[in-house]
Amino acid sequence: MSRHRQPEPEQAWQDLEDRPSKTELKKAMQRLQDLGQQLADLSPAQIKKLPVNEYLIDTLLELKDITAHEARRRQFQLVGKLLRSENEGVIIAALSGRQSSRKQAQLSRWIERLIEQGDPAVNEFVRLHEAAERHTLRQHVLRVQRSVAQQDAESEQVALRQNLVNYIQQVALLSE
C-alpha cells in the first residue's frame, strides 16, 4: 500500500498546466538580463535612486567600468540573477517612467483587449512586439480569463492581472 496519497488526475494535470516550462523559465531569465541592460543604461544618479537591493545597485554601477565583452556578459548574468529576488513591478515602474504617457495608455488598452479577445489579440500583439513570446503571453491571458470565469477571489484575480501587466510592460520596454 502506498504511503503517499496520489493527487487526483484532474488536479495533477491542472498543476502541470499552470507550471512554467523549462524554456519559459530560460526566456524569463533572458528578459531579466535584458531589463538589467536597460537599467545599466541609466545614469549613475538614476541607478542610485532605484528602490532595489544595495548589492544590485553596486553591480549595476560596476558595469560602467567593465569593457571586456565576456566580463560584461557574466556581469549581466549576475544582474539577471539579482533581479529575480527584486520586485518586478518596481523595476518596471522605474523604467516605464522613460515611456510617454501615450505609450502607457496604449499598453493599458492592449491589456484590456487581450483579456477580452484572447488569441486573436495575442497573435496581433506578438506580431507588433518582437520581444513577445506567444506561448508565455497566451498563458498569462488564459490564467486571467480562467480566474475571472471561475470568479476566484479578488486578490487572486488582481495578482494574475498584475503578472500580465508586468509581462506586457517588460515586452514593451524590450521591444523599443
Side-chain angles (χ1 to χ4, degrees):
M1 184 165 169
S2 173
R3 292 183 192 194
H4 301 288
R5 184 172 174 257
Q6 296 293 325
E8 295 190 27
E10 181 75 23
Q11 183 62 36
W13 285 109
Q14 184 70 27
D15 291 343
L16 285 176
E17 184 177 302
D18 289 339
R19 190 182 76 207
S21 69
K22 193 172 180 179
T23 302
E24 286 177 309
L25 292 174
K26 288 180 182 180
K27 288 180 180 181
M29 278 306 303
Q30 183 59 47
R31 279 194 312 275
L32 286 176
Q33 286 179 27
D34 293 344
L35 280 178
Q37 288 180 345
Q38 290 204 0
L39 287 172
D41 290 341
L42 297 174
S43 70
Q46 290 174 316
I47 291 174
K48 289 177 183 176
K49 290 180 185 177
L50 290 173
V52 295
N53 183 340
E54 198 65 35
Y55 184 61
L56 176 58
I57 291 173
D58 292 340
T59 305
L60 287 168
L61 291 174
E62 286 173 11
L63 269 165
K64 302 279 186 200
D65 299 331
I66 299 174
T67 57
H69 175 73
E70 184 62 20
R72 285 184 67 80
R73 186 190 66 76
R74 285 193 312 269
Q75 191 75 355
F76 278 120
Q77 284 182 327
L78 175 61
V79 168
K81 183 177 179 180
L82 293 173
L83 284 174
R84 276 191 268 174
S85 62
E86 297 295 331
N87 183 348
E88 197 174 290
V90 171
I91 294 166
I92 291 172
L95 289 172
S96 295
R98 296 170 36 185
Q99 289 180 329
S100 67
S101 58
R102 181 175 180 227
K103 180 72 171 178
Q104 292 292 337
Q106 182 183 30
L107 291 177
S108 295
R109 288 191 302 272
W110 265 114
I111 292 165
E112 295 304 321
R113 186 172 165 200
L114 286 164
I115 293 171
E116 289 173 11
Q117 295 179 3
D119 281 345
V122 167
N123 292 335
E124 186 174 345
F125 186 85
V126 169
R127 188 175 49 77
L128 295 174
H129 298 85
E130 71 267 2
E133 294 143 14
R134 184 184 184 290
H135 180 74
T136 304
L137 178 59
R138 186 171 183 269
Q139 290 301 313
H140 282 297
V141 170
L142 287 175
R143 287 180 189 127
V144 171
Q145 289 174 335
R146 187 180 316 128
S147 178
V148 170
Q150 293 175 352
Q151 297 178 347
D152 289 341
E154 184 71 25
S155 61
E156 187 175 336
Q157 288 182 21
V158 168
L160 290 171
R161 186 179 178 91
Q162 188 59 45
N163 289 342
L164 175 63
V165 169
N166 287 345
Y167 180 76
I168 295 295
Q169 288 179 335
Q170 267 186 2
V171 166
L173 286 168
L174 297 175
S175 294
E176 291 178 346

